[in-house]
Amino acid sequence: MKTHLECIPCFFSQALGTARLAGADPDQQRKTLDELARMLPGFSFCVSPPEHTQHMYRSIIEITENVDPFKTIKEKSNRLALGVYDSLKDRVFAAGDPLREAVELAILGNIIDFGLRKSLDVDRELERIVSGSASGLDSRRRPIFHYREFESALRGASSVLYLGDNAGEVVFDRLLIEEIKRSYPDKRLVYAVRESPIINDALEADARECGLDRVVAIISSGSRAPGTILDQCTEEFKNLFSTVDMIISKGQGNYETLSEEGGPIFFLFMAKCTVVARHLGVSLEDIVLLDNSHNTGGS
Amino acid sequence: MKTHLECIPCFFSQALGTARLAGADPDQQRKTLDELARMLPGFSFCVSPPEHTQHMYRSIIEITENVDPFKTIKEKSNRLALGVYDSLKDRVFAAGDPLREAVELAILGNIIDFGLRKSLDVDRELERIVSGSASGLDSRRRPIFHYREFESALRGASSVLYLGDNAGEVVFDRLLIEEIKRSYPDKRLVYAVRESPIINDALEADARECGLDRVVAIISSGSRAPGTILDQCTEEFKNLFSTVDMIISKGQGNYETLSEEGGPIFFLFMAKCTVVARHLGVSLEDIVLLDNSHNTGGS
């Protein structure tokens, strides 16, 4: 998905919110905005938003002189999400269609995203997901939910590449991966994380903290952006990406960076900005499970 | 009121929205954003937001090569507001306290503001005001409403300076001014407008179109910003500003630029942004009638 003009005010809003979450003082917050302003006239609108925001986030790292400003937030998200793992696992087991329940939970877990939100109470969001029917799964709209296609693709696939998104959310990915492995023990599954710290995106350490290393092979995609920019990716990852039978892509950043790629991709995310929502014809916070072969959105 | 860091993302949002309303094509919209980005590192946070936005709006004028991009919108707002003048006049007459009704209507008229809104259906907003109780006067909160002080100051004042804000809204100002003149025929009243086109702010031509020239003396403040920047103002205006017994200041832009001035100012506006709302401890779209001598907001 290409960057839109409406993304620009949002980049400034993200820059300020993220600098604050990263503990930047007012001078550092101002520097973050000024640095983004200096970059803006050079921006191309032919690339995806994460191609730009990666530079903004790196400037926050430079300005705060903190190589991983969201480390504490990520650790807390992992810990809190692990705290609800058992009850969510029970819910998957108890569901009439455990795979569907795990898919929906994996998408709900995508709420743990500090990129577009100025504040996020992970504890409260997890509580809402755990409490389920009242405010979670049952109440959210699913205007695009290609579950039949997802299930069918999964049944036929020998190899699956799962692209992670955020720390904490990894626990929800683990539930889905465990359910896939329980139903289809013979699949070859690989879980990909970001190469280096970017917002609260999951790194290998987060995947391990969430116990994913005991369930699936973990690799770095090589991407240093809040998404998957193939040009940045390792040869190993690109090889997997182009040869696996199915790709499960989590999060809006992965959608933004991969929506114009071909391939057997299923995008699982919560729509978090008006540009993406409009692009897909959905509403904010809608649950999306999009079979890429049905992707008719504009650029 | 000083510019806050949160104002910066909003400036970019305003720049894009205003460029679009002004009919800028996508290249011109991009140029507007780039131009604002080029200005940002030089911004002082010791001045009010309109000190900055005036430059942004002027860059839209330069980029679109249109000296008054909101001319049509202003003319339409004047025409539509004049269309409801009679029914609003009847409402003032019929009210138990006609002055209070006129004050409240004058503040509701402040909704006709294209600065912070990306779209505004003036017709619909006027309809809501005319329909009154359902969605207009009675339902809006008035957390700051120094009407007793306003009435008392008005009673004691020999001279009143009224600072206008937007085109269309002038008709609502006219209702209040006519009510003041009816109750107190001996007051000396002057109505001030902006010096040159800036967003949909009222110029002398708008005041005349709305029939205000038949009711009150009209002068230009000299300000070319979407507010009243005293350094830009004419000697005549500054002299009036510092000697009149009472100043009735309409709109958020006039509040932002004058909130730190002393003097017998009453600010009448609808809170339209979170920074101003927080500054005053009110909610978005609340009705505000603030006696400046009670102004305890931070900077």
Side-chain angles (χ1 to χ4, degrees):
Chain A
M1 196 191 89
K2 308 259 190 295
T3 302
H4 289 232
L5 282 164
E6 288 101 315
C7 299
I8 305 304
C10 183
F11 288 169
F12 281 89
S13 184
Q14 281 182 62
L16 182 60
T18 310
R20 286 177 171 176
L21 279 170
D25 65 30
D27 278 351
Q28 292 172 328
Q29 293 168 29
R30 158 111 210 221
K31 266 188 201 156
T32 303
L33 295 175
D34 286 351
E35 191 50 43
L36 177 59
R38 266 185 279 269
M39 291 189 277
L40 179 59
F43 275 11
S44 158
F45 284 77
C46 296
V47 299
S48 69
E51 296 251 12
H52 299 303
T53 50
Q54 63 173 332
H55 301 298
M56 172 182 89
Y57 290 119
R58 272 200 280 283
S59 87
I60 294 172
I61 285 175
E62 276 168 34
I63 288 165
T64 58
E65 293 183 345
N66 180 346
V67 294
D68 194 356
F70 285 81
K71 197 171 168 46
T72 314
I73 281 177
K74 290 190 286 185
E75 286 168 355
K76 186 181 170 195
S77 302
N78 292 336
R79 198 178 59 246
L80 290 173
L82 277 170
V84 299
Y85 169 82
D86 285 340
S87 64
L88 296 179
K89 187 82 178 169
D90 289 347
R91 197 151 98 196
V92 173
F93 275 140
D97 183 345
L99 180 67
R100 187 182 168 116
E101 185 77 16
V103 164
E104 295 196 341
L105 282 172
I107 302 174
L108 284 179
N110 187 232
I111 195 86
I112 309 173
D113 184 338
F114 285 86
L116 285 164
R117 299 205 162 218
K118 282 175 189 145
S119 66
L120 180 66
D121 183 341
V122 175
D123 216 353
R124 192 170 143 263
E125 293 297 344
L126 290 174
E127 213 170 88
R128 289 175 62 185
I129 295 173
V130 171
S131 70
S133 57
S135 52
L137 283 172
D138 295 343
S139 65
R140 286 194 195 269
R141 290 181 63 232
R142 296 162 182 70
I144 301 176
F145 200 74
H146 298 141
Y147 177 65
R148 205 172 45 81
E149 293 86 337
F150 178 90
E151 198 188 17
S152 157
L154 186 62
R155 203 179 307 119
S158 300
S159 52
V160 179
L161 174 61
Y162 194 119
L163 312 180
D165 191 18
N166 300 305
E169 183 181 345
V170 177
V171 171
F172 292 78
D173 297 334
R174 180 178 154 191
L175 286 163
L176 176 52
I177 288 168
E178 285 173 343
E179 181 50 34
I180 293 172
K181 289 191 68 169
R182 196 184 64 83
S183 305
Y184 306 101
D186 297 332
K187 306 286 179 208
R188 276 178 290 119
L189 269 158
V190 174
Y191 188 81
V193 292
R194 311 279 188 249
E195 173 65 21
S196 53
I198 186 94
I199 336 176
N200 69 320
D201 287 25
L203 303 179
E204 192 175 329
D206 300 297
R208 288 183 186 282
E209 264 178 50
C210 295
L212 213 60
D213 54 323
R214 297 193 295 275
V215 184
V216 68
I218 301 166
I219 62 163
S220 159
S221 67
S223 181
R224 299 177 299 278
T228 302
I229 297 177
L230 288 175
D231 284 347
Q232 285 180 356
C233 290
T234 64
E235 286 307 314
E236 180 193 14
F237 177 86
K238 283 192 279 193
N239 187 44
L240 267 177
F241 189 87
S242 61
T243 56
V244 289
D245 299 323
M246 182 183 190
I247 297 163
I248 299 175
S249 166
K250 282 292 303 288
Q252 193 174 288
N254 283 331
Y255 172 72
E256 290 173 26
T257 44
L258 296 172
S259 67
E260 292 175 32
E261 297 297 324
I265 316 178
F266 286 82
F267 294 105
L268 282 67
F269 62 98
M270 198 174 285
K272 293 194 195 101
C273 85
T274 50
V275 173
V276 167
R278 194 180 60 226
H279 185 78
L280 287 168
V282 305
S283 301
L284 279 180
E285 303 225 327
D286 277 353
I287 280 180
V288 175
L289 165 54
L290 173 68
D291 177 352
N292 198 33
S293 67
H294 292 215
N295 188 3
T296 54
S299 62
Chain B
M1 197 191 89
K2 308 259 190 295
T3 302
H4 289 231
L5 283 164
E6 288 102 314
C7 299
I8 305 305
C10 182
F11 288 169
F12 280 89
S13 184
Q14 281 181 62
L16 183 60
T18 310
R20 286 178 171 176
L21 279 170
D25 66 29
D27 279 350
Q28 292 172 326
Q29 293 168 28
R30 158 109 210 222
K31 267 188 202 155
T32 303
L33 296 175
D34 286 352
E35 192 50 44
L36 177 59
R38 264 185 280 268
M39 291 190 277
L40 179 59
F43 275 11
S44 158
F45 285 79
C46 296
V47 299
S48 69
E51 296 251 12
H52 300 303
T53 51
Q54 63 173 330
H55 301 298
M56 173 181 91
Y57 290 119
R58 272 201 280 283
S59 87
I60 293 173
I61 285 176
E62 276 170 33
I63 287 164
T64 58
E65 294 182 345
N66 180 348
V67 293
D68 194 357
F70 286 81
K71 196 169 168 47
T72 314
I73 283 178
K74 289 189 288 185
E75 286 168 355
K76 187 182 170 195
S77 302
N78 292 335
R79 198 176 61 246
L80 291 173
L82 277 170
V84 298
Y85 169 82
D86 285 340
S87 64
L88 296 179
K89 187 82 178 172
D90 289 345
R91 197 150 100 197
V92 172
F93 275 140
D97 182 344
L99 180 67
R100 186 181 168 115
E101 185 76 14
V103 164
E104 295 196 342
L105 282 172
I107 302 173
L108 283 179
N110 187 231
I111 195 86
I112 308 173
D113 184 339
F114 285 85
L116 285 163
R117 299 204 161 220
K118 282 174 190 147
S119 66
L120 180 66
D121 183 340
V122 175
D123 217 353
R124 194 170 142 261
E125 294 296 344
L126 290 175
E127 211 170 274
R128 289 174 63 185
I129 295 172
V130 170
S131 71
S133 57
S135 52
L137 283 173
D138 295 343
S139 64
R140 285 193 195 269
R141 290 181 62 230
R142 296 161 181 72
I144 300 175
F145 201 74
H146 297 141
Y147 177 65
R148 204 172 45 79
E149 293 87 336
F150 178 90
E151 198 188 15
S152 157
L154 186 61
R155 202 179 308 118
S158 301
S159 53
V160 178
L161 174 62
Y162 194 118
L163 312 181
D165 191 19
N166 300 306
E169 183 181 344
V170 176
V171 170
F172 292 77
D173 297 335
R174 180 178 154 190
L175 287 164
L176 175 53
I177 288 169
E178 286 173 341
E179 181 50 36
I180 292 173
K181 289 192 68 170
R182 196 185 64 82
S183 306
Y184 307 100
D186 298 333
K187 308 284 180 209
R188 274 179 291 119
L189 270 159
V190 175
Y191 187 82
V193 292
R194 311 278 188 249
E195 173 67 19
S196 53
I198 186 94
I199 335 176
N200 68 321
D201 287 25
L203 303 179
E204 193 175 326
D206 300 298
R208 288 183 186 282
E209 265 177 50
C210 295
L212 213 59
D213 55 323
R214 298 194 295 276
V215 185
V216 69
I218 301 166
I219 62 165
S220 159
S221 68
S223 181
R224 299 178 299 278
T228 302
I229 297 178
L230 288 176
D231 284 348
Q232 285 180 356
C233 289
T234 64
E235 287 306 314
E236 180 193 13
F237 178 85
K238 283 191 279 191
N239 187 43
L240 267 177
F241 189 88
S242 60
T243 57
V244 290
D245 299 323
M246 181 181 190
I247 296 163
I248 299 174
S249 165
K250 284 291 303 290
Q252 194 175 288
N254 283 330
Y255 172 72
E256 290 174 27
T257 44
L258 296 172
S259 67
E260 293 176 31
E261 297 297 324
I265 315 177
F266 285 81
F267 294 105
L268 281 67
F269 62 98
M270 199 174 284
K272 294 194 195 102
C273 85
T274 50
V275 172
V276 166
R278 193 178 62 226
H279 185 77
L280 286 168
V282 305
S283 301
L284 278 180
E285 301 225 327
D286 277 353
I287 279 181
V288 175
L289 166 54
L290 173 68
D291 176 351
N292 198 32
S293 66
H294 292 214
N295 188 1
T296 56
S299 62

